[in-house]
Amino acid sequence: MSPESLEEAIQNVIQEGKLVPKVVIAVDLFGQPADYPEIRKITQKYNLLLLEDGAQGFGGRIGEKKACSFGDISTTSFFPAKPLGCYGDGGAVFTDCDEWAELIRSYKVHGKGADKYDNVRIGLNSRLDTVQAAVLLAKFDCFEGMELNLINDAAKQYSEKLKCIVKTPAVKNTFFSSWAQYTILFQNQSQRDYVQEALKKDEIPTMIYYMKGMHQQEAFVKYLREDMVYSVTEKVCKRCLSLPIHPYMKEVDVIFVVEKLYGLLEGKK
């Protein structure tokens, strides 16, 4: 999230006068937290709540402050593809507000009151089952004590070897990434699509996680503001490609992918 664009959007909504801004939802992307020091200044300036979507940020941090501690309420996902994954669906919600915590505990069990058979509000069935909780407890120490460092080593190897041929991801100063994905940018969509198809033939999996921006999603068409420009998002969606990465990736695996990329891109010149 661009703090500058965020403030511009807030001011536009206020000036229009049809809606009242209440909350900002910031998203931790590809393992790196959003720019919360700057975003928090804006939410305080306009008296807004801040929600942190930490699904891809868990394990990351800014300075010594960890992802999922920046929002008034923060959430994360334990889906298997996330930095800390269970063996199915799972997630967690974090808040320092006791009142909100009690509400969340109620919402996750059908809207229960003091007793689970006394429903005082409309809720959901969002309980983390015991098996998934056991998996997460067993994996957490390894994740925090070893896997975060290992995946950062793999990302560093990628960046050092690829920086001359593609745009590699950058981690901001004082930020620490959990590298939910390792995503590079090509010169254009044609080059990206060519490389992805060629890597697929060599059985190297890649992924385009976001083919279009939020403003291009059908669900949000009626909320689209014509006075806002989304050119950066649109360009990135056409150029991005995520490469294989995980904590147990060996240097030989990184070199294998890198050499394939060099061969493809050198061949296109």
Side-chain angles (χ1 to χ4, degrees):
M1 177 180 285
S2 161
E4 295 79 13
S5 294
L6 169 62
E7 185 160 24
E8 181 183 347
I10 294 168
Q11 290 174 347
N12 287 341
V13 172
I14 292 173
Q15 290 168 8
E16 190 175 49
K18 294 180 181 179
L19 300 172
V20 179
K22 293 287 187 180
V23 61
V24 171
I25 304 176
V27 181
D28 301 347
L29 192 60
F30 297 154
Q32 191 168 181
D35 192 351
Y36 290 106
E38 294 302 315
I39 294 171
R40 178 59 81 176
K41 290 177 186 176
I42 295 169
T43 59
Q44 290 174 339
K45 179 178 178 180
Y46 295 94
N47 195 29
L48 304 174
L49 293 173
L50 177 58
L51 301 186
E52 176 184 2
D53 175 355
Q56 290 189 18
F58 194 79
R61 61 178 184 265
I62 303 175
E64 295 303 315
K65 193 171 173 63
K66 295 183 178 181
C68 295
S69 67
F70 296 104
D72 296 298
I73 292 178
S74 300
T75 66
T76 197
S77 169
F78 298 130
F79 184 74
K82 297 299 188 284
L84 176 63
C86 54
Y87 290 169
D89 283 316
V93 184
F94 307 87
T95 182
D96 289 330
C97 176
D98 292 339
E99 182 181 353
W100 292 345
E102 283 304 310
L103 277 173
I104 292 165
R105 291 188 182 100
S106 171
Y107 288 134
K108 76 169 186 176
V109 188
H110 305 295
K112 73 179 184 70
D115 181 271
K116 70 177 181 178
Y117 296 111
D118 173 30
N119 301 107
V120 297
R121 56 181 58 86
I122 302 299
L124 304 166
N125 178 10
S126 297
R127 293 166 293 193
L128 182 68
D129 71 70
T130 305
V131 171
Q132 303 304 338
V135 168
L136 290 166
L137 286 171
K139 291 181 68 178
F140 182 71
D141 287 343
C142 186
F143 170 75
E144 193 173 44
M146 181 176 67
E147 291 184 347
L148 285 172
N149 289 330
L150 288 175
I151 202 165
N152 269 271
D153 289 342
K156 183 178 179 181
Q157 291 173 28
Y158 261 139
S159 293
E160 288 176 348
K161 293 174 171 60
L162 290 174
K163 61 184 178 182
C164 295
I165 59 167
V166 294
K167 184 174 178 58
T168 55
V171 178
K172 296 179 181 179
N173 188 35
T174 75
F175 282 54
F176 179 85
S177 177
S178 57
W179 295 102
Q181 282 89 34
Y182 185 89
T183 304
I184 57 178
L185 290 179
F186 291 91
Q187 293 178 2
N188 50 53
Q189 183 175 356
S190 176
Q191 187 185 63
R192 188 271 308 274
D193 293 347
Y194 161 74
V195 169
Q196 184 180 36
E197 184 61 29
L199 291 177
K200 183 179 179 180
K201 291 177 181 177
D202 284 326
E203 298 185 344
I204 297 175
T206 61
M207 181 66 72
I208 303 169
Y209 281 97
Y210 306 107
M211 294 185 178
K212 56 185 178 180
M214 291 288 284
H215 66 289
Q216 297 168 315
Q217 302 288 337
E218 185 177 348
F220 299 113
V221 167
K222 64 181 179 180
Y223 303 110
L224 189 62
R225 298 187 59 88
E226 295 181 358
D227 54 357
M228 295 292 290
V229 178
Y230 309 95
S231 58
V232 174
T233 297
E234 290 166 7
K235 288 177 182 176
V236 169
C237 287
K238 292 176 181 178
R239 296 167 54 204
C240 66
L241 188 68
S242 296
L243 302 178
I245 191 168
H246 56 81
Y248 302 99
M249 195 170 189
K250 304 297 184 184
E251 185 173 8
V252 65
D253 301 321
V254 174
I255 291 173
F256 178 74
V257 176
V258 168
E259 288 181 344
K260 291 290 184 181
L261 281 167
Y262 265 93
L264 291 169
L265 293 175
E266 289 292 327
K268 286 284 283 184
K269 287 184 177 179

